[in-house]
Amino acid sequence: MYPVTTTGATRWWPDGGPPRGATFDGDGVTFALWSPMAERVEVCLFDGTAERRIPLTEQLFGVWFGHVHGVGPGQRYGFRVHGPWDPWTGHRFNPAKLLVDPYARAIDGEPTDHEATFGHVIGRDDTVRDDRDSAPYVPRSVVVDTRFDWGTDPRPRVPWSDTVLYELHVRGATMRHPRIPAELRGTYAGLAHPEFLGDLVDLGVTTVELLPVHHFVSESMLRGRGLTNYWGYNTLGFFAPHADYSAVGGGGGQVAEFKAMVKALHEAGIEVVLDVVYNHTAEQNEYGPTYSFRGIHNVAYYRLDGSGRRYRDLSGTGNTLNLRNPDVVRLVLDSLRYWVEEMHVDGFRFDLAPVLTRGEGDVDMSGPFLAAVGQDPVLSKVKLIAEPWDLGSDGYQVGAFPPPWSEWNDRFRDAVREFWSGSSDGVRDLASRLSGSSDLYRRSGRRPFASINYVTAHDGFTLRDLVSYENKHNDDNGEGNRDGQDANRSWNAGVEGETDDPAVVSMRLRQARSLLTTLVLATGVPMLLAGDERGRTQAGNNNAYCQDNELSWLDWSENGEWPKLRETVRTLLRLRRDHPVFRRLQFFSGRLDPSGGRRDVGWFSPRGREMDDAAWHDSSLRTLGMFLAGERTARRAPSGEPVLDESFLLWLHGGDRAVNVTLPGTPWASAYALVLDTSETVTTHRAGAGDRLRIPPHTAVLLRAD
């Protein structure tokens, strides 16, 4: 035990010293900051603009700490760190700059565009120190009372195979919701409102994946154009929920409001997964502002090149967090555990995840971060999703993450888009994606739910735009339409953009229904983009990261035909929920069942015959049948008995002309009944084995086998 000298009292901490950050004990607050190269550290307490500086005189294992009597929750504070200013070797200490606590549980305020927020003199070399005080222009850390009545908090704990993800922006989800009070729209409280929760439950999603909610700031470049970083991939605080998403504002109330949101979602049976950004911070490169990490221990927090003056950029944002340093790994792990244990979230999606695995250069899937997460008793039991690519060499790592990780599968997205847009090279790749992408995930011992299947996400076209635009239209971003992806694998049905032509609108709706059917009924974990079920459009903008306005917000109106897609999604998710044949725990074997003669999956050409090698390599083939045998679900009931289900035949036809398909006979089925048809024109509701079924262009048809 180590004694800590305080203002009028003595505190005792375990051998590791006090927790990092600000810890309220009822009498006062212990402040602790890791800065092993610092020569002196001050905690700065603010009452309005008045600042009181208190030296932290105790130090242990590189952590400076001390107890301040009489302060408590709501206290705004920051740090000033004294040390060497030597950018040539990576040291950028500057006590003139007020620094946000990396462990702050809440952060208030937005940065103001002022030259004093930079550690160096703007307009001169980045090695020339700026000694102007930044305190009037930067955010404050806030002391938080962590107490909250969770009650029983029944965490849903949805099995991976039953999971349906719904990617959602906290602000954009409810900003236009007519039945949510105006003061709650765009907030955590808005997501917790019964009107919104009821809509999620009725739709059938099990898990919301929230775009970044760690406290972030907008880049000065965007603010200069009158825009903001709407998506939030510019983190300042890894422990603090973003204050602007709180109906109560700041002062620490955002923490309780976030917890109340999670509790309400759990009570509705819905999990909460956070999109987290641990690959970089908001401080940009060596020419960026000094908000926190740069002024605390630059050479440890960031990956630096050469002698240390320049930053390595593997994220496209100017800097890369240094997860080779044990204390930086600790920061990230402490943050993740905090969100699970204190905020009760159910998992994480990691932005540009390969960055987190890199050693000196190459990706290392056995490196310290993944090893630490894999053996952590808390984190190894939550949902872990990787965005499996970054901007470094060998950065594309789809299929390479170890168990128990799941991954965003962009090969599913691309194959499905190409098939329905008419640009695919046959159906071979499509079949691999429909059956769980075993070519990517089986070899590492993972299951089909390692594949997070999606056709749209926040980054790219919405579903409606995917079938309405062949080119991006990002002019509102102020970058001359140079930003965003050029290869969208989209098809506009002959007209670019919105149109009143009923034939074109009808075809686009058919395309959208076919894409949704492919997504939801494929093996793996489906992820829906919020608003796709209502036909949300961004007017062809495929990179709306800076559009905090009606272009990005969900449209809750019921005008026109597009909102009717919601009923299609409800039907598909109900089918998936009710039939385990669509929620496989194991990959298909493709082997014949000796007792019944059926494989667990059968693949058919339009002639009703099982696909042979020639058919698989026919680049002109635009039609594929997939038979799912209900007696081969690879599931067992608690009693040990096999789980049996009905059998289904799914036809996907991406051609521009109608096709006649022959329905497979013995041993597959003797008759078939129509379940759904995305063209809404198929009139044959029952057919026998060997009968021919006419499928219109760009149509998916699901049949139940009898």
Side-chain angles (χ1 to χ4, degrees), residues 97-155:
K97 309 307 168 185
L98 185 74
L99 306 175
V100 169
D101 181 359
Y103 277 75
R105 269 42 175 183
I107 298 172
D108 280 358
E110 284 287 321
T112 301
D113 288 324
H114 192 280
E115 291 183 356
T117 62
F118 294 83
H120 64 284
V121 177
I122 296 297
R124 296 186 64 185
D125 194 289
D126 68 287
T127 63
V128 180
R129 196 171 84 168
D130 184 302
D131 291 326
R132 288 174 290 182
D133 185 9
S134 71
Y137 314 109
V138 294
R140 308 282 192 260
S141 308
V142 184
V143 177
V144 171
D145 186 349
T146 60
R147 292 174 296 180
F148 182 80
D149 182 9
W150 283 101
T152 58
D153 187 31
R155 296 202 185 202

Short mmCIF file of all heavy atoms in Angstrom, two decimals, residues 97-155:
data_model
loop_
_atom_site.label_atom_id
_atom_site.label_comp_id
_atom_site.label_asym_id
_atom_site.label_seq_id
_atom_site.Cartn_x
_atom_site.Cartn_y
_atom_site.Cartn_z
N LYS A 97 -0.82 24.71 -22.92
CA LYS A 97 -1.98 24.06 -23.53
C LYS A 97 -2.74 23.25 -22.49
O LYS A 97 -2.17 22.35 -21.85
CB LYS A 97 -1.53 23.15 -24.69
CG LYS A 97 -0.62 23.85 -25.69
CD LYS A 97 -1.21 25.16 -26.22
CE LYS A 97 -0.18 25.98 -26.97
NZ LYS A 97 -0.70 27.31 -27.40
N LEU A 98 -4.01 23.57 -22.31
CA LEU A 98 -4.87 22.81 -21.41
C LEU A 98 -5.25 21.50 -22.08
O LEU A 98 -5.70 21.49 -23.23
CB LEU A 98 -6.13 23.60 -21.07
CG LEU A 98 -7.04 22.92 -20.04
CD1 LEU A 98 -6.43 23.01 -18.65
CD2 LEU A 98 -8.43 23.54 -20.06
N LEU A 99 -5.09 20.39 -21.36
CA LEU A 99 -5.24 19.06 -21.95
C LEU A 99 -6.41 18.31 -21.35
O LEU A 99 -6.62 18.30 -20.13
CB LEU A 99 -3.95 18.26 -21.74
CG LEU A 99 -2.66 18.94 -22.23
CD1 LEU A 99 -1.45 18.09 -21.85
CD2 LEU A 99 -2.72 19.19 -23.73
N VAL A 100 -7.16 17.66 -22.22
CA VAL A 100 -8.26 16.79 -21.80
C VAL A 100 -7.69 15.53 -21.18
O VAL A 100 -6.72 14.95 -21.68
CB VAL A 100 -9.17 16.45 -23.00
CG1 VAL A 100 -10.15 15.33 -22.64
CG2 VAL A 100 -9.93 17.69 -23.45
N ASP A 101 -8.28 15.08 -20.10
CA ASP A 101 -7.90 13.84 -19.42
C ASP A 101 -8.24 12.65 -20.33
O ASP A 101 -9.40 12.47 -20.71
CB ASP A 101 -8.68 13.73 -18.11
CG ASP A 101 -8.34 12.49 -17.30
OD1 ASP A 101 -7.50 11.68 -17.74
OD2 ASP A 101 -8.94 12.34 -16.21
N PRO A 102 -7.26 11.81 -20.70
CA PRO A 102 -7.57 10.64 -21.54
C PRO A 102 -8.59 9.69 -20.90
O PRO A 102 -9.24 8.93 -21.60
CB PRO A 102 -6.21 9.95 -21.71
CG PRO A 102 -5.21 11.03 -21.51
CD PRO A 102 -5.81 11.93 -20.47
N TYR A 103 -8.71 9.75 -19.56
CA TYR A 103 -9.65 8.89 -18.85
C TYR A 103 -10.91 9.63 -18.42
O TYR A 103 -11.70 9.12 -17.62
CB TYR A 103 -8.98 8.28 -17.62
CG TYR A 103 -8.16 7.04 -17.92
CD1 TYR A 103 -6.92 7.14 -18.53
CD2 TYR A 103 -8.62 5.77 -17.59
CE1 TYR A 103 -6.15 6.02 -18.81
CE2 TYR A 103 -7.87 4.63 -17.85
CZ TYR A 103 -6.62 4.76 -18.47
OH TYR A 103 -5.88 3.62 -18.75
N ALA A 104 -11.15 10.82 -18.95
CA ALA A 104 -12.33 11.60 -18.57
C ALA A 104 -13.61 10.84 -18.90
O ALA A 104 -13.79 10.37 -20.02
CB ALA A 104 -12.32 12.95 -19.28
N ARG A 105 -14.51 10.76 -17.92
CA ARG A 105 -15.80 10.08 -18.13
C ARG A 105 -16.81 10.98 -18.83
O ARG A 105 -17.83 10.50 -19.31
CB ARG A 105 -16.37 9.61 -16.80
CG ARG A 105 -16.01 8.23 -16.33
CD ARG A 105 -14.59 7.83 -16.53
NE ARG A 105 -14.32 6.51 -15.94
CZ ARG A 105 -13.14 5.93 -15.91
NH1 ARG A 105 -12.10 6.55 -16.43
NH2 ARG A 105 -12.98 4.74 -15.37
N ALA A 106 -16.54 12.27 -18.87
CA ALA A 106 -17.40 13.21 -19.60
C ALA A 106 -16.54 14.37 -20.05
O ALA A 106 -15.55 14.72 -19.40
CB ALA A 106 -18.56 13.70 -18.73
N ILE A 107 -16.91 14.96 -21.18
CA ILE A 107 -16.20 16.10 -21.75
C ILE A 107 -17.25 17.12 -22.18
O ILE A 107 -18.26 16.75 -22.80
CB ILE A 107 -15.33 15.68 -22.95
CG1 ILE A 107 -14.26 14.68 -22.51
CG2 ILE A 107 -14.68 16.89 -23.61
CD1 ILE A 107 -13.47 14.07 -23.66
N ASP A 108 -17.01 18.37 -21.85
CA ASP A 108 -17.92 19.45 -22.24
C ASP A 108 -17.20 20.43 -23.16
O ASP A 108 -16.01 20.71 -22.98
CB ASP A 108 -18.41 20.22 -21.01
CG ASP A 108 -19.54 19.52 -20.28
OD1 ASP A 108 -19.96 18.44 -20.74
OD2 ASP A 108 -19.97 20.03 -19.23
N GLY A 109 -17.96 20.96 -24.11
CA GLY A 109 -17.44 22.04 -24.93
C GLY A 109 -16.84 21.58 -26.25
O GLY A 109 -16.35 20.46 -26.38
N GLU A 110 -16.89 22.48 -27.20
CA GLU A 110 -16.29 22.27 -28.51
C GLU A 110 -15.05 23.14 -28.63
O GLU A 110 -14.98 24.23 -28.06
CB GLU A 110 -17.28 22.66 -29.62
CG GLU A 110 -18.37 21.64 -29.85
CD GLU A 110 -17.85 20.40 -30.56
OE1 GLU A 110 -17.01 20.52 -31.47
OE2 GLU A 110 -18.28 19.31 -30.18
N PRO A 111 -14.04 22.70 -29.37
CA PRO A 111 -12.89 23.57 -29.59
C PRO A 111 -13.28 24.79 -30.43
O PRO A 111 -14.17 24.71 -31.27
CB PRO A 111 -11.89 22.69 -30.33
CG PRO A 111 -12.61 21.45 -30.72
CD PRO A 111 -13.91 21.40 -30.02
N THR A 112 -12.63 25.88 -30.15
CA THR A 112 -12.78 27.09 -30.94
C THR A 112 -11.59 27.21 -31.87
O THR A 112 -10.46 26.93 -31.47
CB THR A 112 -12.86 28.33 -30.02
OG1 THR A 112 -13.96 28.19 -29.14
CG2 THR A 112 -13.00 29.61 -30.84
N ASP A 113 -11.85 27.61 -33.10
CA ASP A 113 -10.75 27.76 -34.05
C ASP A 113 -9.92 28.99 -33.67
O ASP A 113 -10.28 30.14 -33.94
CB ASP A 113 -11.30 27.91 -35.47
CG ASP A 113 -11.86 26.60 -35.99
OD1 ASP A 113 -11.28 25.55 -35.67
OD2 ASP A 113 -12.88 26.63 -36.70
N HIS A 114 -8.81 28.70 -33.00
CA HIS A 114 -7.90 29.76 -32.57
C HIS A 114 -6.49 29.19 -32.62
O HIS A 114 -6.26 28.03 -32.30
CB HIS A 114 -8.24 30.22 -31.15
CG HIS A 114 -7.53 31.48 -30.75
ND1 HIS A 114 -6.22 31.51 -30.33
CD2 HIS A 114 -7.97 32.78 -30.70
CE1 HIS A 114 -5.87 32.74 -30.04
NE2 HIS A 114 -6.90 33.54 -30.26
N GLU A 115 -5.54 30.03 -33.01
CA GLU A 115 -4.16 29.55 -33.16
C GLU A 115 -3.57 29.05 -31.85
O GLU A 115 -2.65 28.23 -31.85
CB GLU A 115 -3.30 30.68 -33.73
CG GLU A 115 -3.63 31.01 -35.18
CD GLU A 115 -2.72 32.06 -35.77
OE1 GLU A 115 -1.87 32.59 -35.01
OE2 GLU A 115 -2.85 32.35 -36.98
N ALA A 116 -4.13 29.49 -30.71
CA ALA A 116 -3.60 29.06 -29.42
C ALA A 116 -3.86 27.58 -29.14
O ALA A 116 -3.24 27.01 -28.24
CB ALA A 116 -4.19 29.90 -28.29
N THR A 117 -4.76 26.95 -29.89
CA THR A 117 -5.02 25.52 -29.67
C THR A 117 -3.91 24.64 -30.23
O THR A 117 -3.92 23.43 -30.01
CB THR A 117 -6.37 25.10 -30.30
OG1 THR A 117 -6.32 25.30 -31.71
CG2 THR A 117 -7.51 25.88 -29.69
N PHE A 118 -2.98 25.24 -30.93
CA PHE A 118 -1.86 24.49 -31.51
C PHE A 118 -0.63 24.63 -30.61
O PHE A 118 -0.35 25.71 -30.09
CB PHE A 118 -1.55 24.98 -32.92
CG PHE A 118 -2.66 24.71 -33.90
CD1 PHE A 118 -3.75 25.56 -33.98
CD2 PHE A 118 -2.61 23.59 -34.72
CE1 PHE A 118 -4.78 25.30 -34.87
CE2 PHE A 118 -3.64 23.33 -35.62
CZ PHE A 118 -4.72 24.18 -35.69
N GLY A 119 0.12 23.53 -30.48
CA GLY A 119 1.32 23.58 -29.66
C GLY A 119 2.45 24.34 -30.31
O GLY A 119 3.37 24.80 -29.63
N HIS A 120 2.40 24.48 -31.62
CA HIS A 120 3.43 25.20 -32.36
C HIS A 120 2.83 26.48 -32.96
O HIS A 120 1.62 26.63 -33.04
CB HIS A 120 3.99 24.33 -33.47
CG HIS A 120 2.98 23.97 -34.53
ND1 HIS A 120 2.00 23.01 -34.34
CD2 HIS A 120 2.76 24.48 -35.78
CE1 HIS A 120 1.25 22.92 -35.42
NE2 HIS A 120 1.68 23.80 -36.30
N VAL A 121 3.68 27.35 -33.41
CA VAL A 121 3.24 28.62 -33.98
C VAL A 121 2.74 28.38 -35.40
O VAL A 121 3.50 27.92 -36.26
CB VAL A 121 4.38 29.65 -33.97
CG1 VAL A 121 3.93 30.95 -34.65
CG2 VAL A 121 4.84 29.92 -32.54
N ILE A 122 1.48 28.69 -35.64
CA ILE A 122 0.90 28.51 -36.96
C ILE A 122 1.58 29.46 -37.95
O ILE A 122 1.83 30.63 -37.66
CB ILE A 122 -0.61 28.81 -36.93
CG1 ILE A 122 -1.33 27.78 -36.05
CG2 ILE A 122 -1.20 28.77 -38.34
CD1 ILE A 122 -1.24 26.37 -36.54
N GLY A 123 1.89 28.91 -39.11
CA GLY A 123 2.56 29.71 -40.13
C GLY A 123 4.06 29.63 -40.08
O GLY A 123 4.76 30.13 -40.96
N ARG A 124 4.56 28.99 -39.02
CA ARG A 124 6.00 28.77 -38.92
C ARG A 124 6.26 27.28 -38.84
O ARG A 124 5.36 26.45 -38.92
CB ARG A 124 6.56 29.49 -37.68
CG ARG A 124 6.41 31.02 -37.76
CD ARG A 124 7.11 31.69 -36.60
NE ARG A 124 8.55 31.47 -36.63
CZ ARG A 124 9.37 31.87 -35.67
NH1 ARG A 124 8.91 32.53 -34.62
NH2 ARG A 124 10.67 31.62 -35.76
N ASP A 125 7.48 26.92 -38.68
CA ASP A 125 7.87 25.52 -38.56
C ASP A 125 7.16 24.86 -37.37
O ASP A 125 6.98 25.50 -36.33
CB ASP A 125 9.39 25.45 -38.36
CG ASP A 125 9.93 24.07 -38.57
OD1 ASP A 125 9.66 23.21 -37.72
OD2 ASP A 125 10.61 23.85 -39.60
N ASP A 126 6.78 23.59 -37.49
CA ASP A 126 6.07 22.93 -36.39
C ASP A 126 6.95 22.69 -35.17
O ASP A 126 6.48 22.20 -34.14
CB ASP A 126 5.48 21.59 -36.86
CG ASP A 126 6.54 20.56 -37.17
OD1 ASP A 126 7.22 20.69 -38.20
OD2 ASP A 126 6.70 19.60 -36.36
N THR A 127 8.23 23.03 -35.27
CA THR A 127 9.13 22.87 -34.12
C THR A 127 9.21 24.14 -33.26
O THR A 127 9.87 24.14 -32.22
CB THR A 127 10.54 22.50 -34.58
OG1 THR A 127 11.08 23.57 -35.36
CG2 THR A 127 10.53 21.22 -35.41
N VAL A 128 8.53 25.22 -33.67
CA VAL A 128 8.56 26.47 -32.92
C VAL A 128 7.37 26.50 -31.96
O VAL A 128 6.21 26.49 -32.39
CB VAL A 128 8.51 27.69 -33.86
CG1 VAL A 128 8.53 28.99 -33.05
CG2 VAL A 128 9.68 27.65 -34.83
N ARG A 129 7.62 26.52 -30.67
CA ARG A 129 6.56 26.39 -29.67
C ARG A 129 5.71 27.66 -29.56
O ARG A 129 6.24 28.78 -29.59
CB ARG A 129 7.16 26.06 -28.30
CG ARG A 129 6.12 25.54 -27.31
CD ARG A 129 6.77 25.03 -26.04
NE ARG A 129 7.04 26.11 -25.10
CZ ARG A 129 7.39 25.91 -23.83
NH1 ARG A 129 7.54 24.67 -23.38
NH2 ARG A 129 7.62 26.93 -23.04
N ASP A 130 4.40 27.46 -29.41
CA ASP A 130 3.46 28.57 -29.19
C ASP A 130 3.13 28.59 -27.70
O ASP A 130 2.63 27.61 -27.15
CB ASP A 130 2.18 28.35 -30.01
CG ASP A 130 1.21 29.51 -29.90
OD1 ASP A 130 0.79 29.85 -28.77
OD2 ASP A 130 0.83 30.06 -30.94
N ASP A 131 3.37 29.71 -27.03
CA ASP A 131 3.20 29.80 -25.58
C ASP A 131 1.92 30.51 -25.17
O ASP A 131 1.75 30.87 -24.00
CB ASP A 131 4.41 30.50 -24.96
CG ASP A 131 5.66 29.64 -25.05
OD1 ASP A 131 5.53 28.41 -24.95
OD2 ASP A 131 6.76 30.21 -25.23
N ARG A 132 0.99 30.68 -26.10
CA ARG A 132 -0.29 31.29 -25.73
C ARG A 132 -1.19 30.27 -25.04
O ARG A 132 -1.18 29.08 -25.37
CB ARG A 132 -0.98 31.85 -26.97
CG ARG A 132 -0.32 33.11 -27.52
CD ARG A 132 -0.95 33.55 -28.82
NE ARG A 132 -0.63 32.62 -29.91
CZ ARG A 132 -1.01 32.79 -31.17
NH1 ARG A 132 -1.74 33.86 -31.50
NH2 ARG A 132 -0.67 31.92 -32.10
N ASP A 133 -1.98 30.73 -24.09
CA ASP A 133 -2.85 29.85 -23.30
C ASP A 133 -4.02 29.37 -24.16
O ASP A 133 -4.75 30.18 -24.75
CB ASP A 133 -3.37 30.62 -22.08
CG ASP A 133 -4.18 29.73 -21.14
OD1 ASP A 133 -4.19 28.50 -21.34
OD2 ASP A 133 -4.80 30.30 -20.21
N SER A 134 -4.22 28.06 -24.21
CA SER A 134 -5.31 27.50 -25.02
C SER A 134 -6.60 27.31 -24.23
O SER A 134 -7.63 26.95 -24.81
CB SER A 134 -4.88 26.14 -25.60
OG SER A 134 -4.80 25.15 -24.58
N ALA A 135 -6.57 27.53 -22.91
CA ALA A 135 -7.73 27.19 -22.07
C ALA A 135 -9.05 27.81 -22.55
O ALA A 135 -10.09 27.14 -22.49
CB ALA A 135 -7.46 27.58 -20.62
N PRO A 136 -9.08 29.06 -23.02
CA PRO A 136 -10.38 29.60 -23.43
C PRO A 136 -10.98 28.93 -24.67
O PRO A 136 -12.15 29.16 -24.99
CB PRO A 136 -10.05 31.08 -23.74
CG PRO A 136 -8.78 31.36 -23.03
CD PRO A 136 -8.02 30.07 -23.07
N TYR A 137 -10.20 28.08 -25.36
CA TYR A 137 -10.62 27.61 -26.68
C TYR A 137 -10.77 26.10 -26.79
O TYR A 137 -11.03 25.60 -27.89
CB TYR A 137 -9.59 28.09 -27.72
CG TYR A 137 -9.21 29.54 -27.56
CD1 TYR A 137 -7.94 29.89 -27.09
CD2 TYR A 137 -10.12 30.55 -27.84
CE1 TYR A 137 -7.58 31.22 -26.93
CE2 TYR A 137 -9.77 31.88 -27.68
CZ TYR A 137 -8.51 32.22 -27.22
OH TYR A 137 -8.17 33.54 -27.05
N VAL A 138 -10.59 25.37 -25.70
CA VAL A 138 -10.60 23.91 -25.79
C VAL A 138 -11.62 23.32 -24.81
O VAL A 138 -12.03 23.98 -23.85
CB VAL A 138 -9.21 23.32 -25.50
CG1 VAL A 138 -8.23 23.73 -26.59
CG2 VAL A 138 -8.71 23.73 -24.13
N PRO A 139 -12.05 22.07 -25.04
CA PRO A 139 -13.03 21.44 -24.15
C PRO A 139 -12.48 21.18 -22.75
O PRO A 139 -11.27 21.21 -22.51
CB PRO A 139 -13.35 20.12 -24.87
CG PRO A 139 -12.92 20.32 -26.29
CD PRO A 139 -11.75 21.25 -26.21
N ARG A 140 -13.40 20.93 -21.82
CA ARG A 140 -13.07 20.61 -20.44
C ARG A 140 -13.43 19.15 -20.13
O ARG A 140 -14.45 18.64 -20.60
CB ARG A 140 -13.86 21.49 -19.47
CG ARG A 140 -13.77 22.99 -19.72
CD ARG A 140 -12.46 23.56 -19.21
NE ARG A 140 -12.48 25.02 -19.19
CZ ARG A 140 -11.93 25.79 -20.12
NH1 ARG A 140 -11.31 25.24 -21.15
NH2 ARG A 140 -11.98 27.10 -20.03
N SER A 141 -12.61 18.52 -19.33
CA SER A 141 -12.99 17.23 -18.74
C SER A 141 -13.95 17.51 -17.58
O SER A 141 -13.94 18.60 -16.99
CB SER A 141 -11.75 16.51 -18.21
OG SER A 141 -10.75 16.41 -19.20
N VAL A 142 -14.79 16.52 -17.23
CA VAL A 142 -15.79 16.71 -16.19
C VAL A 142 -15.75 15.53 -15.22
O VAL A 142 -15.73 14.37 -15.65
CB VAL A 142 -17.22 16.81 -16.79
CG1 VAL A 142 -18.24 17.10 -15.69
CG2 VAL A 142 -17.27 17.89 -17.87
N VAL A 143 -15.75 15.84 -13.92
CA VAL A 143 -15.85 14.80 -12.90
C VAL A 143 -17.28 14.26 -12.90
O VAL A 143 -18.25 15.03 -12.95
CB VAL A 143 -15.49 15.35 -11.51
CG1 VAL A 143 -15.68 14.26 -10.44
CG2 VAL A 143 -14.06 15.87 -11.50
N VAL A 144 -17.42 12.93 -12.84
CA VAL A 144 -18.73 12.29 -12.99
C VAL A 144 -19.04 11.44 -11.76
O VAL A 144 -18.16 10.74 -11.23
CB VAL A 144 -18.76 11.41 -14.26
CG1 VAL A 144 -20.03 10.55 -14.31
CG2 VAL A 144 -18.68 12.29 -15.49
N ASP A 145 -20.28 11.50 -11.32
CA ASP A 145 -20.80 10.56 -10.32
C ASP A 145 -21.27 9.32 -11.08
O ASP A 145 -22.21 9.39 -11.86
CB ASP A 145 -21.95 11.19 -9.55
CG ASP A 145 -22.43 10.31 -8.40
OD1 ASP A 145 -22.02 9.13 -8.33
OD2 ASP A 145 -23.22 10.81 -7.58
N THR A 146 -20.62 8.20 -10.87
CA THR A 146 -20.89 7.01 -11.67
C THR A 146 -22.09 6.21 -11.19
O THR A 146 -22.47 5.23 -11.83
CB THR A 146 -19.66 6.09 -11.68
OG1 THR A 146 -19.36 5.69 -10.34
CG2 THR A 146 -18.45 6.80 -12.29
N ARG A 147 -22.71 6.62 -10.07
CA ARG A 147 -23.83 5.83 -9.54
C ARG A 147 -25.03 5.88 -10.48
O ARG A 147 -25.36 6.91 -11.04
CB ARG A 147 -24.23 6.36 -8.16
CG ARG A 147 -23.17 6.12 -7.07
CD ARG A 147 -23.56 6.79 -5.77
NE ARG A 147 -23.61 8.25 -5.93
CZ ARG A 147 -23.92 9.09 -4.94
NH1 ARG A 147 -24.21 8.63 -3.73
NH2 ARG A 147 -23.95 10.40 -5.16
N PHE A 148 -25.68 4.71 -10.65
CA PHE A 148 -26.85 4.60 -11.52
C PHE A 148 -27.62 3.35 -11.11
O PHE A 148 -27.03 2.31 -10.84
CB PHE A 148 -26.42 4.50 -12.99
CG PHE A 148 -27.57 4.44 -13.96
CD1 PHE A 148 -28.25 5.58 -14.33
CD2 PHE A 148 -27.99 3.21 -14.48
CE1 PHE A 148 -29.31 5.51 -15.23
CE2 PHE A 148 -29.04 3.14 -15.37
CZ PHE A 148 -29.70 4.30 -15.75
N ASP A 149 -28.94 3.48 -11.08
CA ASP A 149 -29.78 2.34 -10.71
C ASP A 149 -30.10 1.51 -11.95
O ASP A 149 -31.01 1.82 -12.71
CB ASP A 149 -31.07 2.83 -10.06
CG ASP A 149 -31.96 1.67 -9.60
OD1 ASP A 149 -31.50 0.51 -9.63
OD2 ASP A 149 -33.12 1.93 -9.22
N TRP A 150 -29.33 0.46 -12.14
CA TRP A 150 -29.55 -0.42 -13.29
C TRP A 150 -30.71 -1.38 -13.07
O TRP A 150 -31.20 -1.99 -14.04
CB TRP A 150 -28.28 -1.22 -13.60
CG TRP A 150 -27.22 -0.45 -14.29
CD1 TRP A 150 -26.10 0.10 -13.75
CD2 TRP A 150 -27.19 -0.10 -15.69
NE1 TRP A 150 -25.36 0.75 -14.70
CE2 TRP A 150 -26.00 0.64 -15.91
CE3 TRP A 150 -28.03 -0.35 -16.77
CZ2 TRP A 150 -25.63 1.13 -17.16
CZ3 TRP A 150 -27.66 0.14 -18.02
CH2 TRP A 150 -26.50 0.87 -18.21
N GLY A 151 -31.15 -1.55 -11.83
CA GLY A 151 -32.16 -2.58 -11.58
C GLY A 151 -31.57 -3.94 -11.90
O GLY A 151 -30.41 -4.23 -11.62
N THR A 152 -32.36 -4.78 -12.52
CA THR A 152 -31.85 -6.11 -12.90
C THR A 152 -31.15 -6.07 -14.25
O THR A 152 -30.33 -6.94 -14.55
CB THR A 152 -33.00 -7.12 -12.98
OG1 THR A 152 -33.99 -6.66 -13.93
CG2 THR A 152 -33.67 -7.28 -11.61
N ASP A 153 -31.43 -5.06 -15.06
CA ASP A 153 -30.86 -4.91 -16.41
C ASP A 153 -30.71 -6.25 -17.12
O ASP A 153 -29.61 -6.80 -17.21
CB ASP A 153 -29.51 -4.20 -16.40
CG ASP A 153 -29.02 -3.89 -17.82
OD1 ASP A 153 -29.87 -3.66 -18.70
OD2 ASP A 153 -27.81 -3.92 -18.04
N PRO A 154 -31.79 -6.77 -17.66
CA PRO A 154 -31.72 -8.08 -18.34
C PRO A 154 -31.00 -7.97 -19.68
O PRO A 154 -31.59 -7.69 -20.71
CB PRO A 154 -33.20 -8.43 -18.54
CG PRO A 154 -33.89 -7.09 -18.64
CD PRO A 154 -33.13 -6.17 -17.73
N ARG A 155 -29.69 -8.17 -19.67
CA ARG A 155 -28.94 -8.11 -20.93
C ARG A 155 -29.48 -9.16 -21.89
O ARG A 155 -29.60 -10.34 -21.52
CB ARG A 155 -27.46 -8.33 -20.67
CG ARG A 155 -26.83 -7.24 -19.79
CD ARG A 155 -25.34 -7.20 -19.99
NE ARG A 155 -24.70 -6.25 -19.09
CZ ARG A 155 -23.51 -5.71 -19.30
NH1 ARG A 155 -22.85 -6.03 -20.41
NH2 ARG A 155 -22.97 -4.87 -18.45
#
